[in-house]
Amino acid sequence: MARISSSKMREHLKVYFIAGSTNVSDPLPEVLQKAIDGGITIFQYREKGDGALTGEAYVTLGKELKELCNKGGIPFIVNDDVELALALGADGVHIGQEDDNVLDVRQKIGDRILGVSAHTLEEARKALQDGADYLGVGPVFPTSSKNDTREVCGPQFVATLRGQGIDAPIVAIGGISITNAREVVEGKADGLSVISAISQAGDPREAAKQLKEVW
Ligand code: 3NM
């Protein structure tokens, strides 16, 4: 296996759904299946926050979600847990600046996909140098799905990074909805990453479909 190409990575990033059991009112596998039916292009299992599953329940849910992604033909990414990613045979891992060291994670996961959150030019450069396949940039808008975000950077920050020579695949995150998704696309991101726009939607399938149509 070789590292994923930038062009393939960009295709996968288009509609990037992130969720854990605390982000949904219906069972997450049901919501994920609807999102897959609506056309999401990648999924990240992010089990965080009050009431997050631990132990066997955490692993069992991950296994079920991974199977749905496999059947749906989309990559399954695990947030910030290399051991779980390896145990489940995930397609990749996403880490933040506060998580494990990028070089260490790259070494542990081999050629699997590695995504890294970056909020400045320096963080972006370092993450890519150390082995990231894509960058997560945000929050581009205010979000209520994560408490400890950095300051809102706006969708134009992605274009700023492009102007500074970062041409790696970038997915924008934070407060993205169908009403502002076009601004993100125009800001030169390769993908839209959302939690609530799909997980809290009355119809997750339709929400995913509409986000896909923005492209
Ligand atoms: N990371 P929603 S913002 C998981 O800025 C996450 O790095 C962010 O959720 C960052 O789509 C965020 O509901 C939450 O706003 C995104």
Side-chain angles (χ1 to χ4, degrees), residues 60-82:
T60 303
L61 177 59
K63 214 176 272 179
E64 190 176 349
L65 300 173
K66 182 196 175 254
E67 278 163 19
L68 293 178
C69 289
N70 280 5
K71 280 194 203 125
I74 61 164
F76 172 77
I77 306 293
V78 172
N79 182 276
D80 185 23
D81 188 341
V82 173

